[in-house]
């Protein structure tokens, strides 16, 4: 594809209608939490935007983040953006291999110095474990530092890049670290999730294209637009939680009636992500709608903290009120310490205290 084309020209050449483009801009404005009146401004900016050079580095990861991105059907937000950016280097998707692949990265860095977007998925072995993961004989750490030097923006895609993820889970044999730890002092946008919602990744890219910068971030450097509210706050099962109606097993009457999955281990109250609103697979469904609790995948250390099927509070008939509350508070604080900032810990603990009291009242 011709790299001199603007994004608008590129879209038109691919047969995207003006109507389709404006619809995309309106959806983008909505996703970014902007008023609909911003859609024309987004359209004008995107129309003129040069296709940005993107270098995508994949380190210790499972390729799930890339899989998530490529499982979209046109014409979607992710399809429109990803088909029309200049993805100059991507370990998994590029046709080139060996020297040619490394040459593509070096060329993209030279030609677009100071202007390209660096996307990273996967964590990196630390200095001591550099030999655990190398590409073209270059350690992940060296490749990241070299590529980040001339980047206009750095986006950590997925929980591994954002917080270390699965490679970072105990006992962390490679000494895995997140991108932020490898690049101290650099501004990095985290787009966590295992994997992240593709629309969220492209929403962040669209924001950069439109406004030339990154969106407002929370205390874990996640875009507020997508991570500003908990799964629990937007969950359609929330009325059942508030009424104290919980499924106790995955096949009981409560589960069949769509009651809250809290006692089956749902981490929705501690998890900040957009699954409940944007959903997955072109808005078809999301885990809680499919009958499975949230695992907390967009939060640090979700693999190690809590246990997937263990309720954050597990009051039982033979546990005293004080003991049950202590267990709950411990679980909430432990998870909260790992997964969110102080503000979110306070919110989460307040919610869990409420449900524990409700639960104990039933016993
Ligand atoms: S605990 Fe989980 S299932 Fe229940 S309301 Fe919250 S997010 Fe939804
Ligand atoms: S529902 Fe929870 S575990 Fe599932 S994808 Fe969303 S944030 Fe991750």
């Amino acid at each position: 594809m011709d790299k001199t084309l603007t994004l608008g020209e590129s879209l038109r050449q691919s047969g995207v209608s003006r109507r389709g483009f404006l619809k995309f801009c309106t959806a983008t404005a909505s996703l970014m939490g902007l008023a609909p009146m911003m859609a024309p401004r987004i359209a004008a900016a995107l129309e003129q935007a040069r296709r940005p050079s993107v270098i995508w580095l994949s380190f210790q990861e499972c390729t799930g983040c890339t899989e998530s991105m490529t499982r979209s059907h046109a014409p979607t937000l992710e399809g429109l953006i990803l088909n029309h950016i200049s993805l100059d280097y991507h370990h998994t998707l590029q046709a080139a291999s060996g020297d040619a692949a490394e040459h593509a990265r070096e060329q993209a860095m030279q030609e677009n110095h100071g202007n390209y977007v660096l996307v990273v998925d996967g964590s990196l072995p630390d200095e001591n474990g550099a030999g655990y993961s190398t590409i073209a004989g270059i350690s992940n750490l060296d490749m990241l530092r070299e590529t980040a030097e001339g980047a206009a923006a750095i986006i950590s895609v997925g929980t591994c890049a954002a917080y270390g993820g699965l490679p970072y889970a105990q006992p962390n044999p490679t000494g895995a670290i997140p991108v932020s730890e490898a690049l101290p002092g650099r501004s990095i946008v985290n787009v966590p999730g295992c994997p992240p919602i593709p629309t969220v990744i492209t929403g962040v890219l669209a924001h950069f294209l439109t406004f030339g910068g990154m969106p407002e971030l929370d205390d874990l450097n996640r875009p507020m637009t997508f991570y500003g509210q908990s799964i629990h706050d937007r969950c359609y099962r929330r009325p059942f939680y508030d009424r104290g109606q919980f499924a106790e097993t995955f096949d009981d009457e409560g589960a069949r009636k769509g009651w809250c999955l809290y006692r089956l281990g749902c981490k929705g109250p501690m998890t900040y992500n957009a699954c409940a609103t944007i959903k997955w697979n072109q808005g078809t469904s999301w885990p809680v709608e499919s009958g499975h609790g949230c695992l907390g995948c967009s939060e640090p250390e979700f693999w190690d903290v809590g246990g997937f099927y263990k309720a954050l509070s597990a009051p039982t008939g033979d546990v005293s009120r004080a003991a049950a509350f202590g267990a709950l508070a411990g679980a909430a604080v432990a998870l909260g310490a790992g997964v969110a900032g102080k503000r979110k810990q306070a919110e989460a603990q307040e919610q869990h205290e409420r449900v524990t009291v409700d639960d104990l009242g039933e016993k």
Side-chain angles (χ1 to χ4, degrees):
M1 200 173 282
D2 185 350
K3 291 188 179 184
T4 62
L5 296 179
T6 64
L7 193 65
E9 289 164 343
S10 170
L11 289 168
R12 272 195 297 283
Q13 274 195 4
S14 305
V16 175
S17 68
R18 179 76 187 155
R19 190 163 175 271
F21 178 61
L22 288 175
K23 205 171 150 192
F24 159 76
C25 293
T26 306
T28 305
S30 157
L31 279 172
M32 290 176 185
L34 303 173
M37 67 181 66
M38 290 296 286
R41 195 175 147 199
I42 292 174
L46 286 182
E47 185 83 44
Q48 295 305 318
R50 293 275 156 200
R51 297 167 59 232
S53 171
V54 174
I55 298 178
W56 185 309
L57 301 178
S58 299
F59 297 132
Q60 296 189 121
E61 44 79 42
C62 68
T63 315
C65 297
T66 295
E67 286 286 335
S68 172
M69 293 291 288
T70 55
R71 288 294 176 267
S72 59
H73 302 95
T76 61
L77 186 67
E78 47 272 32
L80 283 172
I81 286 287
L82 281 181
N83 291 336
H84 299 281
I85 61 176
S86 179
L87 194 53
D88 288 323
Y89 183 87
H90 188 299
H91 293 154
T92 312
L93 301 180
Q94 67 197 4
S97 61
D99 288 344
E102 280 317 295
H103 179 65
R105 182 175 67 90
E106 287 158 10
Q107 192 177 5
M109 283 163 49
Q110 280 167 13
E111 288 177 1
N112 306 290
H113 192 270
N115 297 313
Y116 59 85
V117 178
L118 172 59
V119 178
V120 186
D121 66 346
S123 62
L124 310 81
D126 63 9
E127 300 276 6
N128 297 327
Y132 281 117
S133 181
T134 63
I135 297 160
I138 306 168
S139 76
N140 291 173
L141 213 45
D142 286 345
M143 184 176 280
L144 176 67
R145 287 174 179 159
E146 184 185 61
T147 314
E149 199 270 320
I154 303 170
I155 305 173
S156 288
V157 164
T159 295
C160 296
Y163 314 128
L166 204 50
Y168 181 85
Q170 294 170 14
N172 190 358
T174 65
I177 55 173
V179 172
S180 56
E181 210 173 310
L183 298 173
R186 290 295 302 261
S187 296
I188 293 162
V189 177
N190 286 331
V191 183
C194 191
I197 303 171
T199 311
V200 172
I201 304 173
T202 44
V204 175
L205 284 172
H207 194 286
F208 180 77
L209 277 173
T210 309
F211 301 112
M214 285 303 175
E216 185 191 358
L217 305 178
D218 72 0
D219 45 6
L220 290 174
N221 289 331
R222 304 178 291 196
M224 287 291 286
T225 307
F226 303 110
Y227 298 90
Q229 286 182 300
S230 72
I231 295 279
H232 187 62
D233 283 343
R234 307 302 294 269
C235 180
Y236 75 103
R237 295 189 192 228
R238 180 64 184 268
F240 295 111
Y241 173 96
D242 290 337
R243 288 201 294 269
Q245 292 175 304
F246 301 100
E248 303 288 345
T249 66
F250 283 106
D251 59 356
D252 68 4
E253 190 192 356
R256 282 194 290 278
K257 287 181 172 170
W259 290 0
C260 172
L261 302 170
Y262 181 84
R263 287 184 177 164
L264 295 173
C266 182
K267 305 297 185 294
M270 299 296 194
T271 305
Y272 289 74
N273 204 344
C275 303
T277 45
I278 295 178
K279 302 188 180 181
W280 286 82
N281 300 324
Q282 281 73 57
T284 305
S285 186
W286 64 292
V288 168
E289 192 172 337
S290 303
H292 195 287
C294 167
L295 301 179
C297 79
S298 57
E299 303 295 339
E301 299 178 31
F302 83 100
W303 194 264
D304 285 327
V305 182
F308 286 171
Y309 297 102
K310 192 174 164 204
L312 289 169
S313 72
T316 64
D318 58 356
V319 182
S320 73
R321 187 182 185 99
F325 179 77
L328 164 74
V333 170
L335 184 60
V339 304
K342 287 190 171 54
R343 173 176 55 83
K344 288 169 184 167
Q345 280 182 39
E347 285 171 12
Q349 186 151 340
E350 184 271 325
Q351 286 171 340
H352 285 274
E353 283 170 10
R354 181 152 49 87
V355 84
T356 303
V357 170
D358 290 345
D359 287 348
L360 289 172
E362 290 172 13
K363 302 292 175 186

